Amino acid sequence: MSDNVVARTREFFSVPAPIKRIFDRFPLTTYPPNDLPERTGTNAQGNRLFIFTDATNARRGRPSFNPQCLKWQAYLKFVGIDFEVVPSNNHASPTGALPFVLPALPLNTHVPIPASKVQKWAIEQVHCEEEQQLNVRFDVYASLLDHRIRNAWLYALYLDPENFDAVAWTLYVDPATTSSVVQSALSYQLRQAARDELLKSYKYIDVSDLEAEADNAFEALSTLLGNQQNFFDRPKPGLFDASVFAYTHLILDEGMGWKQDRLGQLLKKYKNLVQHRERLLKYF
């Protein structure tokens, strides 16, 4: 799921006008934001990655169900950085979005590392080389993920009614609240945010066009990968591998509970992408 979509759900918690007028007359005390979690003796020396996941999967280090979170979770594993997974959500994030890293060093730091700076931080930790330094095609192919595949993902997860009820509701709505009223409002916000995001690129939403573009993107990625083990013929998987895996794994993961699996059917045509996903899953 897109972190942009989840972030927009914060609008739900805005105060209705009649209640706001009462609060304006009788203002409430405003307390400072919550501090980041304090380190305990059991994880005092460890890096912590805050992502969308549940407590059980966090303990096992299993993949996040959110593509943006999974991208960075996988990347850190690929470059060999140890970290502890912490279940979180956008509202609890000091940056307003997930994922973010709370590094082990320097000690007692309370400065989180947002997703936009995780790669730079990782390179500094392990002195790894990345695709941007190796191949100028990185950005071109990354756009396939950020637009064509992501757009099809947004539709499949949020705007397909069966998938929304079976997958998105279970992952994002149920854990957020037990109030049926709030759940209904939150589900509306999620679906509307996805719709608005798609309408930035299209005059109207046509699922056939979205799926055709995703299929073209899969084909291009399959051609790029060819017979190589990793993208750009790297000896070890890197950021682009993590970016692809973040979608291919979740699209093919039976544990997601997809009811309409059109993206999975399209992806399975490209055997090397399926095998690439299976190889990278061994890191978890």
Side-chain angles (χ1 to χ4, degrees), residues 114-149:
S116 61
K117 296 182 179 180
V118 168
Q119 183 188 16
K120 180 177 182 295
W121 171 77
I123 291 174
E124 291 172 350
Q125 303 304 304
V126 296
H127 308 290
C128 58
E129 190 175 23
E130 264 312 332
E131 289 92 343
Q132 292 91 327
Q133 302 162 352
L134 296 173
N135 201 308
V136 296
R137 294 179 296 169
F138 181 94
D139 290 338
V140 175
Y141 283 97
S143 68
L144 297 176
L145 295 164
D146 296 337
H147 298 287
R148 294 185 181 186
I149 294 176

Side-chain angles (χ1 to χ4, degrees), residues 73-115:
Q73 182 185 10
Y75 175 68
L76 293 181
K77 283 183 174 290
F78 297 164
V79 299
I81 292 179
D82 292 329
F83 60 91
E84 174 190 357
V85 168
V86 182
S88 189
N89 57 64
N90 283 337
H91 301 295
S93 169
T95 63
L98 293 180
F100 70 91
V101 172
L102 196 60
L105 297 173
L107 294 175
N108 299 320
T109 182
H110 289 270
V111 180
I113 300 171

Side-chain angles (χ1 to χ4, degrees), residues 58 61 105-106 173 233:
L105 297 173
V173 179
D233 204 18

